[in-house]
Amino acid sequence: QVQLVESGGGLVQPGGSLRLSCAASGSIFNINTMGWYRQAPGKQRELVATISSRGSTNYAASVKGRFTISIDNAKKTVYLQMNSLKPDDTAVYYCNSLVRISIIRDLEVWGQGTLVTVSS
């Protein structure tokens, strides 16, 4: 069984910063990719950023230049540094990972979500 545990959400004022963390645990052969998605009230879940185990990154246009995703492969942990936060960034942020659990099988896993609220 594989689990993702997120931390770091909270309330922040516009223009402020937050850092999210997500640690993977369980029977993991290796990690292919890790990333963050978010879902605002009344909206569909959307991609925020992803990173491969080799460090290749992908960002949504709305966060490019403000958010930075990074990965610590040894700790099986992905981070999302969020700067210059805006009220539109308010959402539940979900960690996602595509992990290899055996030589021939990959598994997609989701975290439970962490709430980020940007408000004065």
Side-chain angles (χ1 to χ4, degrees):
Q1 189 174 1
V2 178
Q3 287 186 322
L4 300 178
V5 178
E6 301 130 331
S7 61
L11 173 65
V12 63
Q13 292 187 341
S17 298
L18 278 177
R19 188 192 194 208
L20 305 182
S21 301
C22 171
S25 63
S27 301
I28 299 172
F29 190 69
N30 63 20
I31 290 177
N32 294 323
T33 63
M34 297 190 81
W36 294 94
Y37 290 71
R38 67 187 181 185
Q39 187 167 18
K43 295 187 177 181
Q44 290 187 327
R45 191 173 298 189
E46 62 178 5
L47 178 145
V48 176
T50 61
I51 187 167
S52 72
S53 59
R54 297 184 178 182
S56 296
T57 59
N58 180 44
Y59 293 94
S62 59
V63 307
K64 199 171 290 186
R66 300 188 297 123
F67 291 9
T68 302
I69 190 169
S70 59
I71 191 168
D72 184 328
N73 288 306
K75 295 182 178 180
K76 297 183 178 65
T77 298
V78 65
Y79 305 95
L80 186 69
Q81 178 65 43
M82 304 185 293
N83 298 328
S84 302
L85 282 160
K86 306 174 182 179
D88 283 350
D89 295 317
T90 295
V92 177
Y93 283 70
Y94 295 91
C95 182
N96 171 274
S97 184
L98 184 65
V99 303
R100 177 141 292 185
I101 58 173
S102 74
I103 293 176
I104 60 171
R105 186 182 174 198
D106 291 338
L107 180 68
E108 184 179 29
V109 189
W110 290 90
Q112 80 283 358
T114 185
L115 178 63
V116 172
T117 303
V118 185
S119 175
S120 55

